[in-house]
Amino acid sequence: KRMIYLKNTTLDVPLEEMNHNESKVLINPVVVSRNGHARYWEACLSCLDNMGLVSRPYEMIVRYFDKAGFEHEDKFEGFEATVLSHELDHLDGILHIDIAEQVLNMPKEKRKEY
């Protein structure tokens, strides 16, 4: 089984207004299509203080099963597509710094300012 747990992937909601109980579990996700282009500075607990500038699709359509075993096919756009793409890479043993155009070493507090 391949499983991804997505939580709080919305950039346009202020942190204090987020519903921290919202989450989505994708079991055996399969990418149906990738469209567009987005570039974000990504960080990850797996890479400590290393953040990388990564190009990813702006939009993805993914087929997956939920926790109850029901199949879904959903569209993920913008930052949510970036997060999903990042997590899919983890399932394949790829870290964002492996595919980054540029990598910077910067502690978390400095990254927030950056």
Side-chain angles (χ1 to χ4, degrees), residues 8 12-20 22:
N8 301 332
D12 57 351
V13 176
L15 187 60
E16 60 275 0
E17 294 178 22
M18 280 187 180
N19 178 349
H20 292 281
E22 286 182 12

Side-chain angles (χ1 to χ4, degrees), residues 39-96:
R39 289 172 69 208
Y40 286 103
W41 282 100
E42 298 182 18
C44 180
L45 290 173
S46 298
C47 299
L48 303 175
D49 290 339
N50 293 300
M51 68 177 196
L53 182 60
V54 182
S55 293
R56 299 202 183 268
Y58 178 78
E59 175 187 287
M60 298 172 65
I61 296 177
V62 178
R63 186 177 308 121
Y64 64 93
F65 293 91
D66 64 19
K67 294 183 287 188
F70 293 103
E71 189 174 28
H72 300 268
E73 189 170 295
D74 290 337
K75 183 188 331 183
F76 297 82
E77 292 182 301
F79 184 66
E80 188 175 39
T82 294
V83 172
L84 179 57
S85 184
H86 176 108
E87 297 306 326
L88 284 166
D89 278 353
H90 275 298
L91 293 179
D92 295 326
I94 299 168
L95 298 174
H96 72 285

